[in-house]
């Protein structure tokens, strides 16, 4: 049987049949992959604890008929500490959902993989809300959806204010924003933070300190933007509102 | 070409979880070979189970009497409540014959990627039970997965302010297992939760 190796992060999974699971991975080499793990829901499985969401691992995969099958897993970082903090965990799910909704399957994106690993580190060490906001904004850029920040994407006019239009594609001018009923007023702090995070490194993002109100607005802005690009709601964002109180 | 009645049976069986078209055909042919009385009993059992089994109005475990026998058993400790995701977890814990308290079945775990949030689980009903004042300890026995952990953290945040002790089932190595094959997260948790001998 043909086997191959990959380094990946587990994004999510769902049950398949009696005791199997389908696992969503984001790999450095092959991009987003859906793979099968056999008998992983049994307590005797040696793989179960190694394929929990957010685990960063080296995997050995075997070519399968419909889905490739996980043969071996070596954990590089289990991010077990994310699981002890509901807030970090909640924003971790948002990061996973953004990746699942926006990145097409089986397209290699090594630069997105690097972003994802940096985002997990930031989720663990820094403000998880900033971490998720930073990841989303940088992800948009890597996938060719970089939000406009200086010039209005609709008319090319000055867009230096706080008007954010997910439909038009980022910060826009006052006149064009009036034409979009879905536009958001982010306020000065959140607008500044959004522009900063668009070009910030993970280290720079980790040093950013924001008021709770502004972080909330940055997240609302990126979620609306992602939903406009994916053309469907982010489920993790809906649950986030209930968890992050 | 299958006779119409048999084809209908195969079609119905193949709707069951984990039953593919081949297995459905095998099961259907087996039913045809069974004595008529047994087939009648099988059909009756299906209809009766569907008609009589309901979630208990107190703990939401499946039952054909309401409240369920566990909730009404005077021999069980009403001050300890074990919170589980699913009725199957109640059966598993009952098999261990260690727990003498009562249960609360949540009906799942928080799973944001599937759109399942706290309001989709029986958490409001749990808090109502806790406000009754009889319960001193809540054992959170959600599955040791990310979703189960998130649910446990969420419940702890709600229950602690009520002055009730909240505990979580221990994580560790399975009895009869091999240390060599244990995954890193389980081993780390087993070390954390080690006990004096």
């Amino acid at each position: 049987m043909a086997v191959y190796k990959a380094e990946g992060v587990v994004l999510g999974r769902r049950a398949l049949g009696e005791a199997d699971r389908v696992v969503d991975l984001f790999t450095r080499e092959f991009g987003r992959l859906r793979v099968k793990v056999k008998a992983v829901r049994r307590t005797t499985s040696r793989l179960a604890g190694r394929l929990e969401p957010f685990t960063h691992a080296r995997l050995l995969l075997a070519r399968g008929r419909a889905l490739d099958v996980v043969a071996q897993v070596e954990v590089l970082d289990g991010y077990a500490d994310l699981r002890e903090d509901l807030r970090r965990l909640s924003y971790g799910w948002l990061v996973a959902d953004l990746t699942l909704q926006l990145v097409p399957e089986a397209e290699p994106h090594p630069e997105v993989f690097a972003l994802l690993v940096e985002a997990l580190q930031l989720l663990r060490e820094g403000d998880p809300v900033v971490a998720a906001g930073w990841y989303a904004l940088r992800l948009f850029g890597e996938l060719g959806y970089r939000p406009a920040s200086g010039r209005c994407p609709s008319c090319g006019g000055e867009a230096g204010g706080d008007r954010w239009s997910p439909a038009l594609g980022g910060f826009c001018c006052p006149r064009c924003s009036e034409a979009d009923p879905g536009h958001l007023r982010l306020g000065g702090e959140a607008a500044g933070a959004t522009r900063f995070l668009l070009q910030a490194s993970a280290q720079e993002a980790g040093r950013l300190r924001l008021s709770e109100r502004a972080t909330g607005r940055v997240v609302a802005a990126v979620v609306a933007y992602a939903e406009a690009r994916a053309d469907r709601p982010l489920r993790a964002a809906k649950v986030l509102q209930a968890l992050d109180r | 070409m299958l006779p119409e009645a048999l084809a209908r049976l195969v079609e119905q069986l193949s709707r069951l979880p984990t039953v593919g078209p081949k297995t459905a055909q095998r099961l259907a042919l087996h039913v045809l070979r069974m004595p008529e009385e047994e087939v009648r009993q099988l059909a009756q059992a299906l209809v009766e189970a569907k008609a009589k089994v309901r979630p208990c109005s107190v703990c939401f475990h499946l039952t054909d009497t309401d409240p369920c026998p566990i909730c009404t058993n005077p021999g069980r400790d009403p001050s300890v409540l074990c919170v589980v995701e699913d009725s199957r977890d109640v059966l598993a814990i009952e098999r261990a014959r260690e727990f003498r308290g009562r249960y609360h079945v949540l009906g799942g775990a928080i799973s944001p990627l599937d759109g399942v949030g706290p309001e989709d689980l029986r958490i409001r009903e749990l808090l109502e039970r806790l406000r009754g004042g009889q319960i001193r300890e809540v054992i959170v026995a959600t599955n040791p997965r990310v979703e189960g952990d998130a649910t446990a953290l969420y419940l702890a945040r709600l229950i602690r302010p009520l002055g009730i002790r909240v505990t979580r089932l221990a994580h560790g190595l399975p009895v009869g297992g091999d240390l060599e094959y244990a995954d890193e997260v389980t081993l780390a948790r087993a070390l954390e939760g080690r006990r004096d001998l």
Side-chain angles (χ1 to χ4, degrees):
Chain A
M1 190 164 31
V3 293
Y4 61 99
K5 288 179 185 169
E7 180 186 338
V9 168
V10 179
L11 298 175
R13 69 247 193 286
R14 60 187 170 77
L16 177 77
E18 181 74 15
D20 302 345
R21 265 196 196 126
V22 173
V23 172
D24 283 295
L25 292 173
F26 198 86
T27 64
R28 187 191 293 279
E29 299 83 353
F30 312 101
R32 189 155 79 75
L33 288 184
R34 283 196 315 141
V35 295
K36 184 155 104 172
V37 199
K38 287 185 179 166
V40 68
R41 280 147 66 210
R42 298 196 200 282
T43 49
T44 50
S45 168
R46 290 189 282 124
L47 297 179
R50 297 186 170 117
L51 288 168
E52 282 289 284
F54 316 119
T55 303
H56 179 191
R58 254 195 289 269
L59 302 110
L60 186 69
L61 299 151
R63 299 252 176 242
R65 264 190 305 180
L67 294 171
D68 293 349
V69 180
V70 176
Q72 286 174 29
V73 181
E74 181 199 341
V75 175
L76 298 172
D77 195 334
Y79 289 95
D81 34 2
L82 286 189
R83 301 169 61 162
E84 285 156 19
D85 183 325
L86 190 55
R87 199 147 190 258
R88 292 184 198 282
L89 200 50
S90 308
Y91 285 94
W93 265 313
L94 181 61
V95 163
D97 206 7
L98 283 161
T99 317
L100 286 167
Q101 298 301 333
L102 293 177
V103 189
E105 249 181 273
E107 269 182 23
H109 282 287
E111 64 295 338
V112 173
F113 181 80
L115 271 187
L116 179 61
V117 173
E118 283 185 306
L120 288 174
Q121 293 284 358
L122 205 52
L123 273 169
R124 163 194 272 166
E125 290 155 11
D127 180 339
V129 194
V130 171
W134 171 79
Y135 175 72
L137 289 163
R138 293 292 310 273
L139 178 69
F140 300 149
E142 292 294 352
L143 297 176
Y145 304 134
R146 192 181 197 277
S149 59
R151 294 266 149 216
C152 174
S154 185
C155 69
E158 177 63 30
D162 71 337
R163 292 165 198 263
W164 174 262
S165 164
L168 295 179
F171 287 105
C172 60
C173 68
R175 205 163 48 107
C176 293
S177 75
E178 294 311 323
D180 169 23
H183 86 273
L184 306 167
R185 294 291 301 262
L186 299 187
E189 192 187 0
T194 303
R195 288 194 170 90
F196 169 74
L197 291 173
L198 266 171
Q199 41 74 39
S201 68
Q203 285 78 11
E204 289 164 342
R207 286 195 291 270
L208 181 64
R209 295 286 170 271
L210 283 179
S211 70
E212 206 163 301
R213 193 166 164 187
T215 49
R217 287 182 171 177
V218 171
V219 166
V222 298
V223 166
Y225 194 84
E227 289 179 340
R229 303 285 91 67
D231 204 18
R232 70 187 86 153
L234 288 180
R235 287 170 159 183
K238 184 193 118 205
V239 176
L240 196 62
Q241 289 169 3
L243 292 181
D244 190 23
R245 275 182 196 144
Chain B
M1 201 50 191
L2 289 176
E4 202 193 317
L6 183 58
R8 224 175 19 238
L9 179 59
V10 172
E11 168 17 53
Q12 290 299 326
L13 287 169
S14 64
R15 290 182 185 196
L16 296 173
T18 79
V19 178
K22 274 228 156 107
T23 310
Q25 202 172 72
R26 200 176 312 133
L27 290 172
L29 291 171
H30 178 80
V31 169
L32 290 189
R33 282 194 298 270
M34 280 161 64
E36 195 167 337
E37 183 50 30
E38 275 183 34
V39 176
R40 208 176 294 281
Q41 282 169 3
L42 174 65
Q44 209 174 349
L46 285 172
V47 173
E48 251 181 46
K50 181 67 191 163
K52 289 189 179 166
V53 179
R54 292 271 176 276
C56 166
S57 59
V58 180
C59 72
F60 301 98
H61 180 40
L62 292 177
T63 177
D64 54 2
T65 59
D66 195 19
C68 73
I70 296 177
C71 287
T72 50
N73 182 345
R76 301 199 67 125
D77 184 354
S79 70
V80 189
L81 199 65
C82 181
V83 177
V84 295
E85 290 181 19
D86 195 275
S87 258
R88 285 172 297 185
D89 303 326
V90 173
L91 302 177
I93 295 176
E94 284 297 287
R95 275 200 300 273
R97 296 171 191 266
E98 271 293 318
F99 179 64
R100 297 301 303 159
R102 291 181 179 161
Y103 293 95
H104 188 87
V105 180
L106 290 173
I110 293 170
S111 179
L113 293 187
D114 301 311
V116 180
E119 68 284 359
D120 301 306
L121 308 174
R122 295 189 191 105
I123 292 177
R124 201 161 22 98
E125 292 87 340
L126 171 66
L127 294 176
E128 270 167 35
R129 283 182 82 179
L130 297 181
R131 287 197 189 97
Q134 215 181 5
I135 294 157
R136 287 183 292 106
E137 180 180 354
V138 173
I139 303 171
V140 182
T142 49
N143 286 318
R145 299 190 271 132
V146 170
E147 293 81 357
D149 288 346
T151 312
L153 290 169
Y154 184 78
L155 290 178
R157 194 168 80 186
L158 294 179
I159 297 170
R160 271 200 210 103
L162 306 175
I164 296 169
R165 185 178 178 214
V166 190
T167 55
R168 177 103 167 95
L169 284 192
H171 302 278
L173 299 165
V175 176
D178 259 28
L179 208 69
E180 185 194 351
Y181 290 120
D183 67 88
E184 294 77 355
V185 178
T186 307
L187 254 180
R189 295 219 178 168
L191 271 171
E192 251 174 49
R194 67 189 185 278
R195 286 160 52 160
D196 288 317
L197 285 172

